[in-house]
Amino acid sequence: MTEQARGGAVSQTLSRGIRVLEILADAGEPLTIDGVAQALGVHRSIAYRLLRTLEHHGLVVRDANGRVTLGPRMAALAAGVAHDLQAEALPELTAVANELGMTCFLAVLDHDECVTLVSVEPRHAVAPVAQRPGTRHPVTAGAPGKAILSLLPPAQWPAASPDAARAVAEAAARGYATSHDEVIPSLRSVAVPLAVRGRGPAALAVVHVSGDADDARIAERLTRSARAVRDALGG
Amino acid sequence: MTEQARGGAVSQTLSRGIRVLEILADAGEPLTIDGVAQALGVHRSIAYRLLRTLEHHGLVVRDANGRVTLGPRMAALAAGVAHDLQAEALPELTAVANELGMTCFLAVLDHDECVTLVSVEPRHAVAPVAQRPGTRHPVTAGAPGKAILSLLPPAQWPAASPDAARAVAEAAARGYATSHDEVIPSLRSVAVPLAVRGRGPAALAVVHVSGDADDARIAERLTRSARAVRDALGG
DNA sequence: CTGAGGCGGATCGTATACGAAGACGTCGAC
DNA sequence: GTCGACGTCTTCGTATACGATCCGCCTCAG
C-alpha cells in the first residue's frame, strides 16, 4: 500500500531479501547487520530476520565479528545459469585467448544490459586485461553489446543514440562489432554474435590494448569459435 | 505455527523464494510455473507471485513459452563472492593447468561441503576433465576437502570416518592431500590448502587421469601458486 | 575499574502482507 | 468442437511479517 502499485504486486519480503543480496554483492566486503539495515532503509530487526533466513539457506555467511557476506552457496546457485552454454564456450574461450594473446569472454543480454558470464585470460599476457565475470554495462555501449543487438530486429533495440544504432547496423552487416575506448579508455574490443536455439542472444568477444591489431582477423577467429559453440548446442 | 520452530524464526516468503532459485538451479532447464509450484508443494498462485518478484529483480527470466529459468543477473550477483580471491587465483589456475596439462580449480569450505568456485582446463587437454564451478560434495571426500580440513583444528572437523580423519592428519603433515577414485572413479586429484587472512579456508587442486603422475611434484607446483595467491592478498 | 556506546539477539502486540481458492481467457491436442 | 493444461488476476480470512522496545555482551575511553 505504502509502496508503488507496479505492474503486478510483488512480495515485499522476498523483494527485500533480494535487495539484501544485491547490497552485499555491491559492497564487496563484510557488512554489519546495522549496515545492511541502513542500506535497506529498514529497522535492524527486519534486516536481522532477513539475514537469518538467507544464512539458513547458506546464501550468506558470517565471519568471526558477526559481519555478513555472500557465501559460496551463492556461487553454487548461480553456476547453473546457462551451464551448457558456458561449458561449451569455455574451451573455445581458452583457445582464442591463448591464440590471440587477449582476454576472451562470453557475454549475454540481460534486459537492457550486457553481462559478462565467463572470461579467460591468455596464458602469457603481456598486459593482462581483466574482464571480471558479472560485469554489466548498457547493451548500447561496447562491442559485445552491439554484437548482441545485431542479432535482434531494430524494433527490440533499446532507445539508443543514432550513432549507436548505426554501429549496430554496421555490425549486423559485416558480422562483428568493435569498440575503441568506449567503456574503458585505451581498451579496444572485438565481438561476434552468438545465437543459440532457445537461449537469448549472446556474444563472444576479446579485449586488447594493441593499436595495430587486425580486427577482421580477430573477428574471423571469433566467428569460428562461435560457430563451433552453436553447432555443439544445435542452434 | 504450522511449521517448525527451528533455532530461530525464518521468513517463510523469503525462504520459499530461495527454494525456487534452488529448484531452478537443480533443474537446469526451463520449468513451467506449475512445475515450480509442484516442486515447492504450494499453490500455483504462490509460485506465480514469487516468480514475478524474482523476475522483477532479474534473477529469473522467461522464454517465449512462458517458462522460467535463472537469469544472467543471478550470475552477476554471485560474481562478487570472494571476488578478490578468485581474481588472484585465476591466473595461477591457468598457469598450473597449462603447465601440468590438468584441470586446475579453486575450492572453498561451505559449512560441511566443499564448493568449487572456479575451474580452468588446460589449453591442450589429452583427456579434458571438467570440474564445473558450483560442484559440491562433502568436505570429507576428495582431495580439496581434505586439504581444506587440514587447515582447521580437528575439533572443527565434521563427523568423519576414522579413515578420513587419518587422511586429513596425513595431509596436514605433508602439506597436500590426494584422492584416488574417491569422488569419481578413475580420477585422481591432488590438492593443497590455501589460507587467506580473514577469508575461510580454501584449496587449490588438480584432477587428472594419469596413473603414473608424481603427486609430490604436482603438490609442489600447487603450493607455489597457493603461496603466490596468499602473498598477493596479504594472508 | 567503570561507564557509555555500539551491536547482536529476543520478545510481543498489531497491522498487513500473505496463502489458498477460485474464475476467466487462451492455447494446443485429441 | 471439446477438453485439458496453463498463465493470470481477484477476493478474503488469517497467518505472518513488521518494527518498537528491551536485554546482554563486548569494546573502548577515561
Side-chain angles (χ1 to χ4, degrees):
Chain A
M1 255 347 135
T2 64
E3 287 288 330
Q4 21 66 315
R6 298 281 313 291
V10 298
S11 166
Q12 177 185 237
T13 304
L14 178 53
S15 194
R16 282 175 169 172
I18 296 169
R19 284 181 56 200
V20 169
L21 295 178
E22 292 170 347
I23 288 168
L24 292 176
D26 289 346
E29 58 178 7
L31 295 179
T32 74
I33 294 183
D34 267 14
V36 173
Q38 289 169 11
L40 255 186
V42 301
H43 195 271
R44 290 192 286 279
S45 59
I46 299 176
Y48 175 62
R49 191 182 321 108
L50 295 174
L51 285 168
R52 182 165 48 185
T53 304
L54 292 172
E55 183 187 12
H56 185 258
H57 283 263
L59 296 192
V60 311
V61 294
R62 316 183 54 159
D63 61 15
N65 305 330
R67 286 199 285 249
V68 292
T69 334
L70 293 183
R73 282 288 297 270
M74 193 70 204
L77 252 192
V81 177
H83 66 289
D84 44 358
L85 183 59
Q86 288 196 50
E88 289 299 333
L90 194 61
E92 297 294 334
L93 295 179
T94 308
V96 172
N98 285 310
E99 283 180 30
L100 300 182
M102 305 169 179
T103 298
C104 184
F105 60 98
L106 168 70
V108 298
L109 176 66
D110 180 45
H111 299 93
D112 58 347
E113 289 184 326
C114 175
V115 179
T116 298
L117 278 189
V118 52
S119 159
V120 175
E121 297 180 24
R123 172 74 221 286
H124 301 291
V126 286
V129 178
Q131 175 73 16
R132 286 231 341 258
T135 305
R136 288 156 41 189
H137 30 67
V139 258
T140 52
K146 286 183 280 190
I148 285 176
L149 288 185
S150 75
L151 288 170
L152 270 48
Q156 292 186 32
W157 296 352
S161 72
D163 277 2
R166 216 184 50 237
V168 173
E170 186 184 0
R174 72 181 176 191
Y176 67 94
T178 63
S179 85
H180 303 335
D181 312 313
E182 257 187 53
V183 178
I184 302 180
S186 84
L187 279 191
R188 307 171 46 140
S189 64
V190 181
V192 303
L194 170 59
V196 176
R197 197 187 68 95
R199 224 160 269 89
L204 255 40
V206 298
V207 283
H208 65 280
V209 291
S210 49
D212 60 344
D214 184 348
D215 285 350
R217 194 179 60 89
I218 294 174
E220 197 277 333
R221 179 63 190 88
L222 284 172
T223 301
R224 234 171 59 216
S225 281
R227 195 151 23 219
V229 172
R230 180 170 49 89
D231 292 346
L233 294 175
Chain B
M1 261 339 139
T2 64
E3 288 288 331
Q4 19 67 316
R6 297 283 313 291
V10 299
S11 167
Q12 180 182 229
T13 303
L14 178 53
S15 195
R16 282 176 168 173
I18 296 169
R19 283 181 56 201
V20 169
L21 295 179
E22 293 170 348
I23 288 168
L24 292 176
D26 289 347
E29 59 179 5
L31 294 180
T32 80
I33 295 184
D34 266 14
V36 174
Q38 289 170 12
L40 257 185
V42 301
H43 195 272
R44 291 194 289 279
S45 60
I46 299 177
Y48 176 62
R49 184 171 9 197
L50 295 174
L51 285 168
R52 183 165 47 182
T53 304
L54 293 171
E55 183 187 11
H56 186 258
H57 283 263
L59 297 191
V60 310
V61 294
R62 315 182 56 159
D63 61 15
N65 306 330
R67 286 199 286 248
V68 291
T69 333
L70 294 183
R73 282 288 297 270
M74 193 73 203
L77 253 192
V81 177
H83 65 289
D84 44 359
L85 182 59
Q86 288 196 49
E88 289 298 333
L90 193 61
E92 296 294 334
L93 296 179
T94 307
V96 172
N98 285 310
E99 284 180 30
L100 301 182
M102 304 169 180
T103 298
C104 184
F105 59 99
L106 167 71
V108 298
L109 176 66
D110 179 44
H111 300 95
D112 58 348
E113 289 184 326
C114 175
V115 179
T116 297
L117 277 191
V118 52
S119 159
V120 175
E121 297 180 25
R123 173 72 218 286
H124 301 291
V126 285
V129 178
Q131 175 73 18
R132 287 234 338 260
T135 305
R136 288 156 42 191
H137 30 68
V139 260
T140 52
K146 286 184 279 191
I148 285 175
L149 288 184
S150 75
L151 288 170
L152 270 47
Q156 293 186 31
W157 296 353
S161 71
D163 277 2
R166 215 183 51 237
V168 173
E170 186 185 359
R174 70 181 175 189
Y176 66 94
T178 64
S179 86
H180 303 335
D181 311 314
E182 257 187 53
V183 178
I184 302 180
S186 84
L187 280 191
R188 307 172 47 142
S189 63
V190 181
V192 303
L194 169 59
V196 175
R197 195 187 70 95
R199 225 160 269 87
L204 254 42
V206 297
V207 284
H208 65 280
V209 290
S210 50
D212 61 344
D214 184 347
D215 285 350
R217 193 178 62 89
I218 294 173
E220 197 276 334
R221 179 63 191 86
L222 284 173
T223 302
R224 234 171 58 215
S225 280
R227 194 150 25 219
V229 172
R230 179 170 48 88
D231 292 348
L233 294 175

